[in-house]
Amino acid sequence: MRTRACTPVYRRAVLCLATALAPIGAPLLHAQDLQPAPGRHQHKPRHHGKHAAHAKGDAATATPGAQVAQAAPRPRHKKKAEHASVPENLEVVGARSSAQASGIGSIEQARVLQMNAPNLINVMPQSEIEKVPNYVLGDAARRLPGASVINKSGESRSIQIRGLDPNLNGVTFEDVILPAGSINGSGRAVPLDAIPAPLAGGLELIKTNRPDQDAFALGGQLNILSRDIGPNDQPFLNISAAGGIRDPHPTRLFDGTIAGGMRFGLDGNPFDKHGGGDRPFSVSFFATALSDWLMLDDLQQKWAGTPGQGVPVKQADQLMYSGHKVRWGYGGTLGWDVDRHTRIYLKMFDSGIEAPVIKYDLTFKPGKTITMDPTLPGAYTSNSSTSLSMNDVWVHNEERVYKFGGLSDVGRFKLDYWGAWASNFLYTPYSYSASFNNANTVPVYYNNITNALRPTASAMTNLANYNSYTLSSLSNAHQNDFDGEWAGHVGASTRLDVLDVKGLLSFGGGLRMEHVTHNDPQYTYGGVPSANAGAWAGNQTYTLFNGMYNLGTPPGTQYVRQILSNPYPGLRENVAADAITTRQSFIDDNENIYNLYLQYQATWRRFGVLAGVRYEKTDGVYRGIATSVVNGQTQLAPRAVGQEYANLFPSIQLRYNFTDNLIARANWSTAIGRPGFNAVTASQTINYQNASISQGNPNLKPTTGTNFDVDLEYYLPRGGILSAGAFDKEFKNYVVNYTNYVSGYPGIPGLATVSTYANIPFASARGFELNYRQQFTFLPGFWKGFGIGGNMTFVDSRGRSRNGVFETLPNTASHIYNFEVFYIHGPLTLQFDGNYQGLTMTGLGSVPNQDSFVQPYLNFDVGARYAITRNFQLYFQGRNITNTMQNATQGSSSKNMVELQYYGSSYLFGLNAKF
């Protein structure tokens, strides 16, 4: 006869096994990527005693699987709220259980989580994210110590951690790695501008990874916490709505978010805040959208040689981007406390961008003969060819995650198990392009000496009079790129004390199975009709940079759409050439990663240690198209490259509590950075219109790193902190991208830009961080609401990249600063934030003075909130209020501009309701 004790253990074991196998079995049952796949969760224990999470860090019963992110319960006494401290005799502080509540409500709670973590992390709660205009996740992440971003069109596209290349940093949602997709070129950098900031319940910046975490973290990992409801939280509903404007072109902005959650049972009213009864079920949800009618001004130059005075440009462009970008996201969490030993959950989010955008580009190309201005060396006159191009494109980029998992007690073991499905989808239904050439060369006086960042092109005729511009080319393109991944994890932990040493032994394993495909057909045409750009004029006139440049009234998009959408007499597709170009972009890659880990975490008096090892085996097949030219004929052949390798990642992380609020850390950890799919592909992509060639290197090796960190942290009242740390990252087989300029490439006249990848044997990144934040609560009355904060990161990166010479590593930033001044008192909250990012090298040229850089930039954001009642707040936010522009250069001099983007400021006025 079966006893009562055996039944729940058997049921929990079966439940654990079924959940862990879900990511493997689901693909066989459901072919659709929309199928909610299993996912990892954070447990919200609903019982007190040994199952409760304590703000002071008694997490001896926690299991491994994620960072410490349990939202600390509200303290009963004011003194405890201001002085979040750890007990004198530390308990074993385990990693955050993947089933615990992850939403973080306040900066005080965030500091407690950071203080109690066994490894080095920084935490930002949602309450800090919403204070200033963080439109996308990267806007918020760049304010964390050690973080910076790569911007794209004025938005935070991808994250650098401690100045390192975004391709070497992981981005996760509740410890599930997010696929990067192809909008960043099929590297490993996740597009954070596709994820709205209100999606996150909080952010964890993980700087030293533990054995139970994925080792993909040479720089670090950014972990997104879901919006959950805590075990003892009351039902809530938050609604915000705002409208505003952008400048310098007055366009509209609308922003809205709704979020809510509750715990309930089947024996009472779930909306009754004072109701009793059991509440084993939890649900939370959010939905957000930002509608942005944007216009972006852009100037570009291509230098004929090494930039400098007296060196002409071979091409100059004046561009306007005009479009309507809608950024959206929705998701939520379902949880069920099956019994007092088991909790299961489902978490998901879906976010993305819809962006129909029109680009106009007025181009000047000087002739071979130039006449220098004797009164202004460097300025010159040349008979120049002029042209106008337009691109009408719709971009859809979507990131989604489904997770299912749980936490169970089976005997003396605590099991943590989950499965997940994550994907990134980039879809372009159309990309119509047209070019118009001016039949006549025009004497153009080009001056980029008087103002290097505002070069002028002057002519006797109006260059924006398009009546003399005739249609020369038509094309269209589609993009259908998919990056999907199944993942699963099973972990177990048990107490293992030795004498006075309190310890927690954890072990487990999992797998990730990623599949990447690109299907990007392109269509070019001959026999284009005889058409006049002036006759096709649209209904809008454009000026750039506050009226300094005039694009006139370029053609409307409807004419090009009509010609390419309907059969036009004489128009014919270049079928053979298009077939070659389309096949060259083909990618079909599989990458499976299997892992095991063992770790032991222990404390003795004030001393703590986390030690262990992780094993990861990578098994990849990368398929593409190899291109060769034989006797003037382009030949294509399918090529598949297999890579298989295994790595061990040991880690030792130490901490010592000098006092309740003063903690020292010393860590040694290891990690890996796998080459991007575009870097190892056998494919070669040729863009004849832009004269550019991109090709992979299937012989690349993964980059491995050894990290040394020391840190000293002192925790102040009201979420304050004073900390200093140093780090040393040593890399082997560091991957760099090279750009060369070659002539004589078939089908490309003049110079062609060739981009590829290579390993360098050794590289390093060394630096230090400082972080400070304090509210002046010791001041009297009105003044105690004031506070200041800031952080600084310095990185010195070096590698033998060219000819054995040590140089700065590509895509690294050396100086990063954040600072804030705030006021919090009564119903009023004011926030003023500044962000500075130093000179960033973005790519290697054939010689150092042809390297690509983004110049330093400094921008400011402001926010203000006023509580008019207990439930309603008015708020105002200003973004980039100083109109900072982004200046990309060839060489490190700010005068050698190759692209200057002017995206202006934005201002929002809104109402927030909380119930």
Side-chain angles (χ1 to χ4, degrees):
M1 181 176 179
R2 182 177 297 171
T3 65
R4 291 184 180 181
C6 296
T7 303
V9 171
Y10 173 79
R11 184 175 69 236
R12 291 193 296 275
V14 172
L15 178 62
C16 171
L17 181 62
T19 304
L21 293 178
I24 302 175
L28 305 178
L29 300 175
H30 304 283
Q32 300 297 324
D33 70 284
L34 287 174
Q35 173 66 28
R40 189 171 185 171
H41 174 76
Q42 291 185 341
H43 182 50
K44 298 186 279 282
R46 58 189 178 90
H47 304 286
H48 297 281
K50 69 176 182 178
H51 297 284
H54 297 283
K56 287 194 174 185
D58 184 4
T61 59
T63 65
Q67 292 292 346
V68 177
Q70 169 73 28
R74 294 183 179 89
R76 298 181 181 179
H77 304 290
K78 181 177 179 181
K79 182 177 180 181
K80 289 185 179 180
E82 295 183 354
H83 293 71
S85 62
V86 294
E88 289 194 4
N89 294 309
L90 291 175
E91 295 292 331
V92 175
V93 182
R96 165 174 53 86
S97 161
S98 66
Q100 290 175 342
S102 60
I104 305 170
S106 68
I107 187 66
E108 291 90 345
Q109 292 172 339
R111 290 288 185 250
V112 171
L113 306 183
Q114 177 179 337
M115 178 170 58
N116 289 342
N119 56 333
L120 189 58
I121 69 171
N122 296 103
V123 185
M124 175 181 288
Q126 173 57 227
S127 59
E128 292 295 303
I129 295 175
E130 66 184 16
K131 285 183 179 180
V132 290
N134 294 313
Y135 294 163
V136 301
L137 205 62
D139 292 342
R142 67 188 171 101
R143 306 181 196 280
L144 287 163
S148 56
V149 294
I150 297 292
N151 285 309
K152 183 67 174 179
S153 302
E155 294 183 335
S156 304
R157 167 62 61 84
S158 48
I159 188 169
Q160 298 167 303
I161 300 177
R162 290 179 164 173
L164 287 183
D165 189 330
N167 291 295
L168 302 178
N169 303 312
V171 178
T172 61
F173 175 75
E174 301 283 354
D175 300 324
V176 176
I177 290 181
L178 300 185
S182 62
I183 201 168
N184 278 328
S186 300
R188 304 280 180 170
V190 175
L192 298 180
D193 57 347
I195 306 176
L199 177 149
L203 296 175
E204 292 176 325
L205 190 65
I206 303 169
K207 297 174 180 175
T208 58
N209 54 305
R210 305 184 313 270
D212 62 344
Q213 293 176 317
D214 281 284
F216 177 40
L218 283 179
Q221 290 186 9
L222 179 68
N223 187 38
I224 307 167
L225 304 175
S226 63
R227 283 178 171 263
D228 286 355
I229 184 168
N232 300 310
D233 288 351
Q234 300 298 330
F236 71 92
L237 178 65
N238 298 338
I239 304 172
S240 65
I245 60 170
R246 273 187 179 273
D247 67 3
H249 307 282
T251 56
R252 295 165 291 168
L253 280 168
F254 293 104
D255 183 33
T257 300
I258 181 171
M262 64 181 179
R263 296 189 64 88
F264 63 95
L266 302 179
D267 56 350
N269 180 3
F271 299 100
D272 183 2
K273 294 185 177 182
H274 305 289
D278 194 22
R279 299 191 298 169
F281 302 102
S282 65
V283 59
S284 62
F285 67 92
F286 75 91
T288 183
L290 173 66
S291 183
D292 185 358
W293 285 262
L294 64 104
M295 298 179 74
L296 184 146
D297 303 351
D298 195 346
L299 297 177
Q300 296 181 12
Q301 295 181 134
K302 292 183 179 179
W303 297 86
T306 301
Q309 185 171 311
V311 177
V313 298
K314 64 180 181 180
Q315 181 175 315
D317 298 79
Q318 300 171 4
L319 303 94
M320 165 62 73
Y321 296 83
S322 177
H324 179 204
K325 181 180 290 186
V326 178
R327 183 177 292 103
W328 49 269
Y330 63 90
T333 300
L334 297 174
W336 177 28
D337 296 334
V338 179
D339 54 36
R340 70 186 186 92
H341 297 289
T342 299
R343 177 175 174 80
I344 59 175
Y345 57 85
L346 170 68
K347 294 188 177 188
M348 63 82 60
F349 82 79
D350 192 346
S351 70
I353 295 174
E354 300 283 349
V357 177
I358 302 170
K359 180 183 73 173
Y360 293 106
D361 181 357
L362 182 59
T363 302
F364 312 90
K365 291 185 177 180
K368 294 182 179 180
T369 302
I370 63 174
T371 303
M372 287 290 180
D373 185 346
T375 63
L376 187 62
Y380 59 89
T381 300
S382 173
N383 284 332
S384 304
S385 61
T386 57
S387 62
L388 175 72
S389 63
M390 58 180 292
N391 177 238
D392 177 14
V393 63
W394 185 300
V395 176
H396 170 95
N397 189 29
E398 184 174 0
E399 192 88 32
R400 61 171 71 132
V401 178
Y402 301 91
K403 304 169 47 194
F404 176 67
L407 187 74
S408 296
D409 296 337
V410 180
R412 63 174 295 176
F413 291 95
K414 294 186 177 296
L415 302 183
D416 175 28
Y417 45 92
W418 56 264
W421 164 249
S423 67
N424 181 282
F425 179 47
L426 179 63
Y427 176 60
T428 300
Y430 62 83
S431 180
Y432 300 116
S433 296
S435 295
F436 302 83
N437 289 337
N438 190 342
N440 305 312
T441 59
V442 180
V444 174
Y445 178 74
Y446 195 77
N447 177 9
N448 59 0
I449 304 300
T450 303
N451 187 341
L453 300 185
R454 303 291 191 280
T456 58
S458 307
M460 298 298 294
T461 60
N462 180 10
L463 298 176
N465 181 355
Y466 300 124
N467 290 319
S468 59
Y469 291 68
T470 56
L471 183 65
S472 58
S473 69
L474 288 172
S475 65
N476 188 17
H478 302 308
Q479 197 166 5
N480 194 342
D481 298 347
F482 186 78
D483 185 351
E485 178 178 286
W486 293 97
H489 165 86
V490 175
S493 64
T494 184
R495 289 297 298 261
L496 183 60
D497 299 339
V498 180
L499 300 177
D500 292 336
V501 177
K502 299 180 180 180
L504 186 71
L505 178 67
S506 305
F507 54 90
L511 77 166
R512 296 194 287 116
M513 300 179 295
E514 188 169 7
H515 187 203
V516 178
T517 60
H518 288 188
N519 179 23
D520 306 331
Q522 300 185 43
Y523 311 94
T524 60
Y525 300 91
V528 298
S530 177
N532 179 285
W536 285 7
N539 56 11
Q540 188 165 356
T541 300
Y542 297 97
T543 61
L544 284 67
F545 289 82
N546 299 310
M548 187 172 182
Y549 305 93
N550 178 29
L551 282 185
T553 307
T557 59
Q558 68 273 20
Y559 300 101
V560 176
R561 291 189 182 193
Q562 183 178 356
I563 290 176
L564 294 180
S565 300
N566 302 300
Y568 191 88
L571 187 69
R572 63 185 183 279
E573 183 192 346
N574 301 317
V575 178
D578 292 344
I580 292 174
T581 306
T582 298
R583 288 193 65 196
Q584 286 175 327
S585 66
F586 170 80
I587 289 179
D588 185 4
D589 298 339
N590 290 91
E591 187 176 82
N592 299 332
I593 299 172
Y594 311 93
N595 68 77
L596 296 169
Y597 71 89
L598 175 69
Q599 73 178 31
Y600 183 66
Q601 182 182 347
T603 60
W604 180 70
R605 300 183 182 275
R606 292 182 173 272
F607 178 75
V609 61
L610 174 69
V613 64
R614 183 179 184 87
Y615 168 83
E616 288 191 358
K617 180 183 179 182
T618 304
D619 185 4
V621 179
Y622 310 98
R623 306 173 188 88
I625 301 297
T627 303
S628 60
V629 179
V630 181
N631 297 326
Q633 298 294 319
T634 301
Q635 298 183 359
L636 306 178
R639 183 183 181 187
V641 178
Q643 288 194 357
E644 183 176 349
Y645 49 88
N647 302 88
L648 288 174
F649 303 101
S651 175
I652 299 176
Q653 311 204 33
L654 309 175
R655 57 174 285 161
Y656 185 80
N657 280 60
F658 291 101
T659 68
D660 287 353
N661 293 319
L662 180 61
I663 301 174
R665 302 178 189 267
N667 301 329
W668 171 65
S669 59
T670 52
I672 191 172
R674 297 176 181 86
F677 293 99
N678 59 332
V680 294
T681 181
S683 290
Q684 181 184 63
T685 302
I686 303 176
N687 189 321
Y688 291 98
Q689 183 177 1
N690 295 330
S692 63
I693 303 165
S694 176
Q695 58 190 31
N697 179 358
N699 298 317
L700 284 178
K701 299 177 181 179
T703 303
T704 55
T706 301
N707 311 315
F708 303 92
D709 295 83
V710 292
D711 197 65
L712 186 64
E713 305 163 359
Y714 183 67
Y715 292 86
L716 302 168
R718 298 288 181 91
I721 189 172
L722 175 62
S723 66
F727 55 89
D728 180 1
K729 297 177 177 289
E730 302 293 327
F731 307 116
K732 293 182 179 179
N733 298 315
Y734 196 89
V735 177
V736 296
N737 63 306
Y738 283 98
T739 299
N740 293 312
Y741 301 93
V742 299
S743 60
Y745 194 90
I748 298 180
L751 291 176
T753 304
V754 180
S755 300
T756 188
Y757 302 85
N759 288 113
I760 58 176
F762 302 101
S764 65
R766 304 180 180 108
F768 62 87
E769 292 179 4
L770 302 175
N771 185 25
Y772 170 67
R773 187 183 192 274
Q774 183 175 19
Q775 184 172 349
F776 302 140
T777 54
F778 52 85
L779 295 177
F782 166 84
W783 301 102
K784 67 181 180 181
F786 282 100
I788 60 173
N791 55 73
M792 170 192 175
T793 304
F794 169 77
V795 183
D796 179 27
S797 65
R798 287 288 183 267
R800 293 184 182 271
S801 53
R802 282 174 302 214
N803 301 320
V805 178
F806 277 100
E807 298 177 291
T808 301
L809 298 177
N811 286 315
T812 59
S814 59
H815 295 79
I816 307 161
Y817 304 96
N818 286 288
F819 51 90
E820 63 175 329
V821 178
F822 59 91
Y823 183 81
I824 305 172
H825 188 64
L828 180 64
T829 299
L830 302 174
Q831 189 81 21
F832 177 83
D833 283 12
N835 173 259
Y836 173 86
Q837 185 166 319
L839 186 68
T840 302
M841 201 257 274
T842 56
L844 289 173
S846 55
V847 293
N849 52 19
Q850 291 184 352
D851 291 344
S852 300
F853 289 86
V854 171
Q855 293 296 313
Y857 64 88
L858 172 67
N859 72 289
F860 299 95
D861 300 326
V862 297
R865 290 179 177 267
Y866 185 81
I868 53 179
T869 70
R870 179 181 178 183
N871 300 109
F872 293 95
Q873 282 185 332
L874 293 173
Y875 68 90
F876 163 78
Q877 294 179 342
R879 175 184 172 89
N880 190 28
I881 60 174
T882 51
N883 280 321
T884 298
M885 305 180 195
Q886 180 170 294
N887 179 20
T889 60
Q890 184 175 324
S892 58
S893 172
S894 62
K895 296 181 179 180
N896 301 337
M897 182 266 290
V898 295
E899 183 173 22
L900 183 69
Q901 290 190 342
Y902 181 25
Y903 34 81
S905 305
S906 61
Y907 303 91
L908 281 173
F909 303 84
L911 176 67
N912 180 253
K914 296 185 178 183
F915 304 98

